[in-house]
Amino acid sequence: MLLFRKRRARLEARTRQAAVTGYVGVDGRAPVSEAGRQLLRKAFPDHWSFLLGEIALYSFIVLVLTGTYLTLFFDPSMSEVTYRGSHVPLQGLQVTKAYESTLHISFEVRGGLLIRQMHHWAALVFVAAIGVHLLRVFFTGAFRRPRELNWMVGVTLFLLALLEGFGGYSLPDDLLSGIGLRTANTIVLSLPLASTYLSSFIWGGPFPGHVLIPRLYVVHVLFVPGLLIALISAHILLVVHLKHTQWSAPGKTDRNVVGQPMFPHFTAKSSGLFLMVFGVITALSGLAQINPVWAYGPYRADQSSTGSQPDWYVGFLEGALRLMPRWENTVAGHTVMWNVLLPAVVLPALLFLVLYLYPYVEKWVTGDPREHHLCDRPRDRPTRTGLGVAALFFYAVLLTAAGNDVIAAGFRMSVEALTWIFRVAVVVGPVLAFLVTKRVCLALQAHDRRLLEEGEETGRVSQNVSGGISDSHRPIDATRRYRLLVRDIPRPLPHPGERAPRRHRLRARLSGWYYRDRVDMPATTEEHREIAGRTLDPIAGREEE
């Protein structure tokens, strides 16, 4: 027994010495100690809204793990074979090898259906988490200087996630995904001048061709994941370099980051969140069926199924196509299909262009070159919040319109009448959503002002000798008062005069539209000086606590 203990002790000593020697060798050639020291002491704000980006990261890890497993069994060939697998209803049908291998994974590979459904659910969670994370960044103003580049990286990640999701959705070559590819082919053919050449190049000839699935497979498993990994790494590096934004609270300013250190607090919480994300995706995959390709059958170019809608993240394009009236023109012998080009090409291009440029537009309107590290409360920026809600309403109408045939059948309505309702809603609805949201934000600001002036209600009602009834209030606590007072809302730019250049006058009008409506908070002169100090332009050498 003593001999075994001595051997184990010698083995542990050798292992320890080898580890120290290896670390010293690597540290002498790379800044391991310096980078590790900075990373381990990085402060992470302790708020649930900052976990949305981590959910996207962890669902992407699940995507990579499950996708790697699926590539071992999936055959992207479009060569036709006779199906002789274990799913009896499809036996004897001519199917492509892509569809046959999908059925093989679902019914014959051990755990294949679970992994397939985990991959699909993880894709939905990934796109949703990125979308909600972008909304959090937008509504809190976390895209402002110095984070404009990181915002653009995030928007690009969202765009690539849409492309990656559509590519994976199309690979099984079932009837539902084939209808989506036929729609994609129609969109490509709507492009002016180069449409037929581009379609022939992508599909390898007339639709459906024989090369798209293999090419899409390479894009799905190699090119786009490589770009996603590169951009996610760049995004994380920028977050580490620029530091997190944080919510206003005592001790938190534009010149520091207050939070918990990465190790051990954040590491433990983040590890638990990863296990939760993995567990939820696994539970969904085991309990909720998704994309049953055996129910749709193999794709046939002359067939279509009722109620065919793509996954939700590209459903808005389907809705836009269904709402667009028939509109075609012949120009120089070429037919321009405006009813496809506008909703499926121009609309998404404009939407992403607005997303990319918005930080710079707001910066130009505000005329504020300073750095910002404190999050805005959405109610304090009513115009920005109203624009965001209007965009969400616009998206929701288009997404709902993508199922107008299913809704009409379920409620026994006319598809044409329902389409006209959606056409009116997609124009009028965002305007009403903007106006209502802006009024709600201003009402919430007025409520905050009453809290500062009168305090919060205690729930006690008293009656005086004359019979009058009044309720009692108590002052709000210091932390809440700090949060309501410390906010950074720009003043509208002064009008430059009628002789000023047109762009200066436009800028002043937009600035007034953005920041004219506001509710000022009652603060003393001393509090105003303290607020100005808390929101002062950051100086070099930020501190972390």
Side-chain angles (χ1 to χ4, degrees), residues 443-490:
L444 291 173
Q445 288 188 44
H447 174 70
D448 291 342
R449 180 181 176 89
R450 284 196 299 272
L451 284 177
L452 292 170
E453 291 176 337
E454 303 174 3
E456 58 184 353
E457 297 179 357
T458 62
R460 297 176 58 187
V461 178
S462 58
Q463 185 175 19
N464 57 29
V465 294
S466 303
I469 297 177
S470 61
D471 55 354
S472 60
H473 296 76
R474 61 170 175 266
I476 59 176
D477 60 86
T479 301
R480 192 174 182 185
R481 182 177 179 84
Y482 185 97
R483 186 171 67 249
L484 298 184
L485 284 177
V486 179
R487 57 180 193 165
D488 186 17
I489 306 178

Side-chain angles (χ1 to χ4, degrees), residues 181-313:
L181 288 175
R182 185 167 60 189
T183 303
N185 180 256
T186 304
I187 294 172
V188 171
L189 288 174
S190 72
L191 298 173
L193 301 178
S195 58
T196 53
Y197 302 102
L198 187 59
S199 174
S200 179
F201 169 74
I202 295 175
W203 274 269
F207 181 83
H210 296 281
V211 299
L212 178 64
I213 298 298
R215 289 177 177 178
L216 201 59
Y217 180 71
V218 174
V219 172
H220 181 72
V221 304
L222 184 62
F223 292 158
V224 178
L227 290 174
L228 285 172
I229 293 173
L231 288 177
I232 289 173
S233 302
H235 184 74
I236 294 174
L237 288 175
L238 285 173
V239 169
V240 172
H241 174 67
L242 299 173
K243 310 296 186 294
H244 279 84
T245 54
Q246 57 188 351
W247 292 99
S248 177
K252 298 180 180 180
T253 70
D254 266 331
R255 300 186 303 279
N256 67 358
V257 179
V258 180
Q260 296 177 337
M262 179 173 182
F263 185 83
H265 300 81
F266 175 77
T267 304
K269 289 184 177 180
S270 189
S271 300
L273 180 62
F274 170 69
L275 295 176
M276 290 174 62
V277 171
F278 191 90
V280 169
I281 291 175
T282 305
L284 280 172
S285 306
L287 300 174
Q289 179 176 270
I290 190 169
N291 197 24
V293 295
W294 54 89
Y296 307 136
Y299 178 65
R300 294 289 182 268
D302 60 341
Q303 295 180 7
S304 180
S305 60
T306 304
S308 298
Q309 286 89 27
D311 282 336
W312 65 268
Y313 45 84

Side-chain angles (χ1 to χ4, degrees), residues 386-387 390 429-442 513:
L387 290 174
V431 177
L432 293 178
F434 171 80
L435 296 175
V436 171
T437 301
K438 190 170 184 178
R439 289 298 103 190
V440 170
C441 289
L442 293 173
W513 180 69

